[in-house]
Amino acid sequence: MDCYKFVELMSEYVEGDLSPENTALWQKHFESCKNCAPFLKSFESSRELLQYLKEKKCPDEIKTRMESLIADMCEKKKAAASKKN
Amino acid sequence: MAASSQKDPGVNIESPEFIARLKAYDKEAFQILVRAFQDKIYNLSLRLTRNPDEAEEVLQETLLSVFNKIHTFQERSRLSTWIYAITSNGALSRLRKKRETLVTFDDDTPLKSDTALFRNGHTLFTYSQKHDPVIENELAERLEKAIEALPDGYRELYIMKELQEMPIKDIADIVGIKPGAVKTRLHRARLLLRAKLSDYWET
């Protein structure tokens, strides 16, 4: 296995999707290549950065609008149902 | 960024009892649902569309769609997964309309021997061991920009999988490609992101 193949299979490795044969070849390359270990570390670290990402909050005025929209829809359903009965 | 579907204590939004209340158009149940999901839906649609007005429209369309289609919801999947699929479909269909030659999700060209993409490096910070709000904010901002700068067709898949934690199969159904192709693109997006953050890695 060369370095490019090693990098190609990196996501499969970190997600545990690598086949047993490829795992053995991957591990062998990892142990013998001085460049690929730091590459893997930076790959994993860039995924770990996701924990610092902040959720984009919905503005309060939109929330109020959405809540009253859905409440109205429920009222209309209820009114339509009681008309039927 | 995992979906928290339970904001009101004592209410399990994924439970059959709660879903039955939604199917009966119970106003209180819908209020709980809207409060639990509106930030998540808005966040996902804003990241996908990169436009606050469109994000609001997608939020409204998603909530109306959930209301109008709740009777068709099959409890084989999670309610949150179903809601995020509706959101993603809405946002992506807007992107498709906007970009005349959109994102072809099927152009899987081989990985180029891009030296920048394969740039090597060591981890520069040991940020995960020490809580430092200044560094964490800086990292968040840098990552935010790096994700926004991912090419069309990669960015969307990355957001759906890595930020929204949607199943690969659902993403494949939404964008209309095979799960294997989603994984390939996702891997390339991760490599691109690693490379874009390369100044955080020592060379």
Side-chain angles (χ1 to χ4, degrees), chain B residues 174-192:
Chain B
I174 290 165
V175 300
I177 57 174
K178 290 183 176 159
V182 174
K183 287 183 183 175
T184 303
R185 286 197 154 237
L186 195 58
H187 180 54
R188 291 172 189 189
R190 288 170 180 160
L191 287 176
L192 283 167

Side-chain angles (χ1 to χ4, degrees), chain B residues 13-67:
Chain B
I13 283 176
E14 300 288 348
S15 70
E17 295 76 24
F18 186 79
I19 289 161
R21 286 174 67 191
L22 292 174
K23 287 186 176 179
Y25 301 102
D26 178 317
K27 190 171 154 185
E28 192 203 9
F30 266 100
Q31 274 174 341
I32 293 170
L33 182 87
V34 171
R35 283 179 193 148
F37 282 99
Q38 51 193 359
D39 275 327
K40 304 281 177 198
I41 298 170
Y42 183 83
N43 177 62
L44 175 59
S45 52
L46 183 55
R47 285 189 188 284
L48 289 172
T49 62
R50 291 181 283 191
N51 178 316
D53 293 335
E54 287 191 314
E56 181 183 346
E57 286 168 19
V58 171
L59 169 63
Q60 178 166 323
E61 284 167 12
T62 302
L63 292 175
L64 289 176
S65 201
V66 168
F67 185 88

Side-chain angles (χ1 to χ4, degrees), chain B residues 43-202:
Chain B
N43 177 62
L44 175 59
S45 52
L46 183 55
R47 285 189 188 284
L48 289 172
T49 62
R50 291 181 283 191
N51 178 316
D53 293 335
E54 287 191 314
E56 181 183 346
E57 286 168 19
V58 171
L59 169 63
Q60 178 166 323
E61 284 167 12
T62 302
L63 292 175
L64 289 176
S65 201
V66 168
F67 185 88
N68 290 323
K69 292 180 185 166
I70 189 69
H71 63 283
T72 69
F73 173 68
Q74 305 280 321
E75 287 157 53
R76 287 193 302 263
S77 70
R78 287 173 63 82
L79 185 62
S80 56
T81 305
W82 185 64
I83 292 174
Y84 298 142
I86 295 173
T87 310
S88 305
N89 267 319
L92 291 183
S93 100
R94 278 165 188 278
L95 288 180
R96 287 194 184 98
K97 279 181 201 156
K98 215 167 12 173
R99 301 174 195 152
E100 284 178 10
T101 49
L102 171 71
V103 191
T104 47
F105 278 111
D106 53 354
D107 61 343
D108 284 313
T109 47
L111 258 190
K112 289 180 183 141
S113 304
D114 183 338
T115 49
L117 196 65
F118 288 96
R119 186 178 170 188
N120 222 329
H122 302 275
T123 304
L124 191 58
F125 292 126
T126 50
Y127 43 78
S128 57
Q129 288 160 19
K130 203 175 153 192
H131 179 68
D132 183 338
V134 177
I135 289 181
E136 287 170 12
N137 278 337
E138 193 195 327
L139 289 172
E141 272 177 36
R142 289 298 309 271
L143 181 61
E144 195 74 68
K145 283 182 187 155
I147 293 171
E148 287 218 1
L150 282 173
D152 295 339
Y154 291 82
R155 191 177 53 85
E156 297 86 346
L157 299 183
Y158 185 85
I159 290 167
M160 286 190 270
K161 178 66 175 72
E162 299 286 71
L163 276 58
Q164 208 62 40
E165 300 178 352
M166 292 169 65
I168 294 278
K169 194 191 165 297
D170 287 20
I171 299 172
D173 288 346
I174 290 165
V175 300
I177 57 174
K178 290 183 176 159
V182 174
K183 287 183 183 175
T184 303
R185 286 197 154 237
L186 195 58
H187 180 54
R188 291 172 189 189
R190 288 170 180 160
L191 287 176
L192 283 167
L193 213 54
R194 190 205 75 91
K196 279 176 192 294
L197 297 165
S198 59
D199 55 337
Y200 277 110
W201 325 121
E202 286 175 347

